[in-house]
Amino acid sequence: MCCAILFFGKETVSAQESLSKKTTTLIQPPYLKAGDTVAIVAPSGVLKNRTKEVEQAKSLLKSWGLHAIVGKHVFSTADHFAGTDDERCEDFQNALDDPKISAIWCARGGYGTVRILDKLDYTKFKKKPKWLIGYSDITALHNQFHNHGFQSIHALMCTSLQDDLSTIEEIVSTFKDAAFGKPISYTLEGSKYNKTGNSSGQLVGGNLTMLHTMLGSKTSIDTSGKILFIEEIGEYKYHIDRMLQSLKRAGYFENCKGLIVGNMSKMRKNTTLWGTSVEQLILDALADYDFPIAFNMPAGHEKDNRAMILGRTIKLTVAKDKSTVVFED
C-alpha cells in the first residue's frame, strides 16, 4: 500500500503510523446515569409512520431514569430522507453541541449519513463528549467519531423497537449495559469456518458497505492493530467479494489483528450462483492473512443485535466450537 510520508525534523512518520498513534487510546464518554438526557435524531432515512417506535424509545429511556428529547426534524420528509441535508445536520449538530445531552441515539439508518459528515463541527463535542448509538448507515458516524478519538456504541436504534420489548429483552439489556458501563462479553456459537486463534485490539467497523464507501476519504478508519467487525444486509455474494477485494487492495487488512463477522442478512440470489457459502467467500478473500476470524456474532440487521463498544479494546478467542469476545473495562 502506498503511504504518504510526513517529515518532522530528522524523523519520518507515515500517515498510517501517525493515525494509529492518534487513536491508540480513545476517549470514553461518561457512562449514562439516571437523570441524564438522550437526544433522538434521524441523520439518515425518512421515518414515515414510525412515531410508535420513537415513542416506545422514549418510554424505554424513561424507564431507565433518563430524559429524552427528539430532534426538531426527526419526522421531517425530504424524499428519501428524514429532512433535507441541512435539517438533519442541524439536529445532529445541536445534539453534538448541547452540554446537557449525554448520548445521541439514532432513530434509524437507511441511507443519508454520508451526506452530512463534512458539515459537522466537533469543537464543542470534544469539550463535552457523549455517546453515539446506532448501526447500519450510522457506521459512517462511528468512523468519524473514531477518527476524532472517541468510543461509540454499535447497538439497536429506535426503529428496532417494533416488537413487544419482552421479546427482545436480552438485546435491550446489552444496550443498557454498554451505555451504563456494566461489563459486556459474548460467547459466540461455533462454526466450522472459524479461523482459530487469539488476539486483542480495539474493535472497529460496522456495516461493510459503509466501510467500503468511506474508503479513500478522511472518514476511512485505519485497522492497523485493531479487530474489525463487519455485517451486511441485502447484498449479492459477489458484491460482498467485490467490497472485500477493494478493501484488500487498499491495504485495509495488512496489519489487522482479527475479524468478527456479524449477520449477513437477506442475501440476494444472483442468476449466476456464487458457488460457496458467504463464510467461505470471506475466508477465501482473506486467505493471505493469518489473523483469527470469528463467525456468528449476533449483531447487525437481525432482531438479535447485541451491543458493542467500538473503539474499546477487546480480547478475541476463536475456536471451532465457540468464540469469546470480552470487552475490557
Side-chain angles (χ1 to χ4, degrees):
M1 179 179 68
C2 180
C3 290
I5 303 295
L6 309 178
F7 292 89
F8 298 100
K10 296 181 180 180
E11 296 182 326
T12 60
V13 181
S14 73
Q16 185 177 17
E17 289 172 344
S18 178
L19 181 58
S20 294
K21 290 178 180 178
K22 288 180 183 178
T23 58
T24 296
T25 302
L26 298 193
I27 295 171
Q28 173 196 292
Y31 288 123
L32 297 184
K33 62 184 184 306
D36 284 345
T37 299
V38 176
I40 295 174
V41 299
S44 301
V46 64
L47 278 102
K48 187 176 181 179
N49 301 322
R50 308 304 287 268
T51 54
K52 179 180 178 182
E53 288 96 320
V54 173
E55 288 301 314
Q56 184 135 300
K58 290 166 60 179
S59 296
L60 178 65
L61 295 174
K62 184 178 180 180
S63 73
W64 294 346
L66 302 172
H67 305 292
I69 60 171
V70 178
K72 179 170 67 172
H73 301 293
V74 162
F75 295 109
S76 296
T77 301
D79 299 321
H80 180 92
F81 309 107
T84 64
D85 291 350
D86 285 342
E87 288 173 335
R88 301 193 321 279
C89 182
E90 179 186 347
D91 277 1
F92 200 88
Q93 189 66 60
N94 287 341
L96 283 175
D97 291 349
D98 190 341
K100 298 186 296 297
I101 290 172
S102 300
I104 304 171
W105 193 10
C106 296
R108 67 158 293 185
Y111 169 71
T113 299
V114 68
R115 296 166 61 110
I116 71 169
L117 288 177
D118 296 332
K119 300 174 181 288
L120 297 172
D121 182 347
Y122 284 79
T123 303
K124 292 183 179 179
F125 165 84
K126 290 180 178 179
K127 294 178 181 177
K128 187 150 190 327
K130 57 209 71 180
W131 291 104
L132 166 70
I133 304 162
Y135 72 102
S136 190
D137 195 61
I138 309 307
T139 297
L141 285 163
H142 285 304
N143 279 21
Q144 194 168 62
F145 271 57
H146 182 88
N147 286 348
H148 278 293
F150 295 88
Q151 298 178 21
S152 56
I153 299 176
H154 185 282
L156 56 78
M157 296 182 283
C158 298
T159 53
S160 305
L161 306 177
Q162 298 178 36
D163 301 313
D164 182 340
L165 292 189
S166 64
T167 67
I168 55 171
E169 186 174 352
E170 190 172 356
I171 293 86
V172 172
S173 70
T174 69
F175 167 31
K176 184 179 181 182
D177 288 347
F180 279 78
K182 292 186 178 181
I184 54 175
S185 63
Y186 300 111
T187 298
L188 313 185
E189 180 182 344
S191 171
K192 66 180 183 180
Y193 297 103
N194 280 354
K195 190 169 183 178
T196 62
N198 304 322
S199 187
S200 66
Q202 279 181 13
L203 180 66
V204 296
N207 179 259
L208 179 59
T209 292
M210 294 310 302
L211 297 174
H212 183 255
T213 299
M214 300 296 107
L215 195 62
S217 75
K218 61 185 178 182
T219 321
S220 186
I221 48 174
D222 173 23
T223 62
S224 298
K226 299 168 189 175
I227 296 173
L228 180 66
F229 162 75
I230 60 171
E231 61 84 23
E232 193 51 87
I233 184 172
E235 288 288 357
Y236 294 105
K237 289 179 182 176
Y238 78 87
H239 283 187
I240 300 293
D241 186 70
R242 175 191 288 160
M243 290 187 284
L244 291 174
Q245 296 295 341
S246 295
L247 292 169
K248 179 180 177 180
R249 295 184 69 239
Y252 211 73
F253 304 105
E254 288 298 323
N255 298 299
C256 191
K257 295 190 70 177
L259 178 69
I260 299 174
V261 181
N263 299 323
M264 293 286 163
S265 305
K266 298 180 181 178
M267 298 292 293
R268 301 170 70 184
K269 289 186 178 181
N270 193 38
T271 52
T272 303
L273 296 180
W274 181 260
T276 70
S277 66
V278 68
E279 291 90 349
Q280 189 61 52
L281 181 161
I282 293 169
L283 291 179
D284 290 344
L286 303 181
D288 294 339
Y289 310 103
D290 61 1
F291 50 72
I293 300 177
F295 293 94
N296 293 328
M297 176 66 206
H301 289 78
E302 300 287 349
K303 181 183 289 188
D304 193 355
N305 182 16
R306 309 298 174 99
M308 299 183 294
I309 302 176
L310 298 178
R312 179 68 56 82
T313 297
I314 65 169
K315 292 182 179 179
L316 174 65
T317 303
V318 184
K320 293 293 185 181
D321 61 331
K322 67 178 181 180
S323 300
T324 56
V325 179
V326 179
F327 288 78
E328 292 191 352
D329 293 337

